[in-house]
Amino acid sequence: MLDSMANSSDAAEQEKFATFYREFGAVLKEGLGEDFANKDKIAKLLRFASSTEEGQTSFADYKARMKEGQKAIYYVTADTLAAAKNSPQLELFRKKGIEVLLMTDRIDEWALGNLHEFDKTPLQSIAKGAVDLGDLQDEAEKQAAETAAESLKPTLEKLKESLKDKASDVRVTTRLVDSPACLVVKEGELSGQMARMLKQMGQALPETKPILEINPEHPLVKRLESGNQFDDLANVIFDQALLAEGGMPEDPAAYLKRVNGLLLG
């Protein structure tokens, strides 16, 4: 019944399904982890916002729109739709016109942990692991990133030392266009959003640190190379990346003091 409503060409049936999904979409997502036998059927019913399309879209519709050479269904999780739409991790995908599913339900990351592919196409969080667009990323971009990483080696080492209590690693990335930096986690680790949610629920979690990825073309990153107020600028760049993904600086007062110092300096 749900399947016929979801795929009906009749507007009234579509509206019935949309109404049902608004009320029980989160319950459907729970089924990915609790009803393994019907996981594939449930996946066909799921709907998400999109970075390129109006309204809600399905995995099947996303897959039908995939670019030639695209090898994964890309998604990002965030606390709100606005945060997802403005995520720094989206910048490269937006520049290349690659659609990304925007997931904002608290249960989404947990649910997707039980669904690794749809119709033989892998699901890939754009905020986990190194960005890899495969055939959609040209060699010139990869070469430019490698050259930048080499030329910025001294700055990267200083950043790692300055941020050793906050970041597990600092590296150059190609995923950023307008932002100076973003935070990502390793494949298999909880996102910052999920970790915050579980902590709010009182769950004890092992201490993990995100990876700071920097945009070598951004003026703030270039300013780091001058060495002036290096530690303050390094911490501000990290904390701004944390704010962009929905987190809060550990010490907001210290963050504001650093920002003010840089503005006055």
Side-chain angles (χ1 to χ4, degrees):
M1 178 181 171
L2 282 177
D3 186 56
S4 62
M5 272 199 300
N7 296 301
S8 174
S9 57
D10 182 72
E13 289 294 290
Q14 284 283 343
E15 183 54 37
K16 283 181 185 177
F17 179 76
T19 300
F20 168 84
Y21 196 83
R22 282 193 292 270
E23 293 295 323
F24 300 105
V27 178
L28 274 180
K29 292 170 186 176
E30 287 180 16
L32 292 176
E34 297 175 358
D35 188 0
F36 188 80
N38 290 303
K39 183 169 66 172
D40 291 340
K41 290 180 180 177
I42 293 169
K44 292 177 181 178
L45 298 173
L46 300 183
R47 300 291 186 267
F48 303 99
S50 161
S51 63
T52 61
E53 305 294 314
E54 292 295 324
Q56 299 277 297
T57 194
S58 66
F59 285 130
D61 287 341
Y62 176 105
K63 188 170 177 179
R65 293 189 295 264
M66 282 172 57
K67 286 182 170 289
E68 185 177 349
Q70 184 176 338
K71 294 180 170 62
I73 294 171
Y74 297 108
Y75 69 90
V76 65
T77 58
D79 293 322
T80 65
L81 185 58
K85 286 181 175 179
N86 293 300
S87 170
Q89 285 94 344
L90 267 182
E91 292 175 359
L92 178 63
F93 293 83
R94 189 179 292 115
K95 177 184 175 183
K96 291 185 171 293
I98 301 170
E99 183 176 5
V100 177
L101 296 177
L102 311 176
M103 303 190 176
T104 56
D105 274 356
R106 291 166 67 89
I107 197 174
D108 281 335
E109 186 172 346
W110 174 85
L112 269 289
N114 297 288
L115 185 72
H116 304 294
E117 62 177 39
F118 176 82
D119 193 21
K120 299 182 180 177
T121 300
L123 302 179
Q124 174 65 51
S125 168
I126 65 171
K128 293 189 177 184
V131 63
D132 182 10
L133 298 182
D135 297 340
L136 300 178
Q137 191 166 17
D138 60 53
E139 285 303 317
E141 289 174 324
K142 294 177 184 177
Q143 185 60 49
E146 290 172 8
T147 301
E150 186 61 33
S151 65
L152 280 171
K153 255 186 179 178
T155 301
L156 290 172
E157 291 305 315
K158 286 180 69 177
L159 280 169
K160 290 175 186 177
E161 177 60 28
S162 182
L163 299 172
K164 63 185 178 183
D165 294 330
K166 294 182 174 181
S168 64
D169 194 13
V170 183
R171 64 193 184 199
V172 168
T173 186
T174 59
R175 83 174 86 216
L176 297 169
V177 177
D178 302 314
S179 300
C182 68
L183 299 181
V184 298
V185 297
K186 296 174 184 175
E187 288 287 356
E189 287 189 353
L190 296 176
S191 70
Q193 180 208 26
M194 177 62 77
R196 288 190 296 273
M197 185 183 78
L198 292 175
K199 285 179 180 177
Q200 288 169 3
M201 294 168 63
Q203 294 197 28
L205 297 174
E207 192 63 38
T208 59
K209 299 173 188 173
I211 297 165
L212 178 70
E213 292 193 340
I214 60 170
N215 176 2
E217 298 303 316
H218 196 279
L220 281 180
V221 173
K222 291 182 181 295
R223 184 175 167 185
L224 280 169
E225 296 181 76
S226 72
N228 295 330
Q229 297 175 290
F230 186 93
D231 286 338
D232 282 344
L233 184 52
N235 278 276
V236 165
I237 287 173
F238 179 94
D239 286 344
Q240 286 182 344
L242 181 61
L243 285 166
E245 65 137 38
M248 279 290 292
E250 214 169 80
D251 187 343
Y255 167 72
L256 290 173
K257 185 177 180 180
R258 288 189 179 105
V259 169
N260 291 337
L262 290 167
L263 289 172
L264 294 171

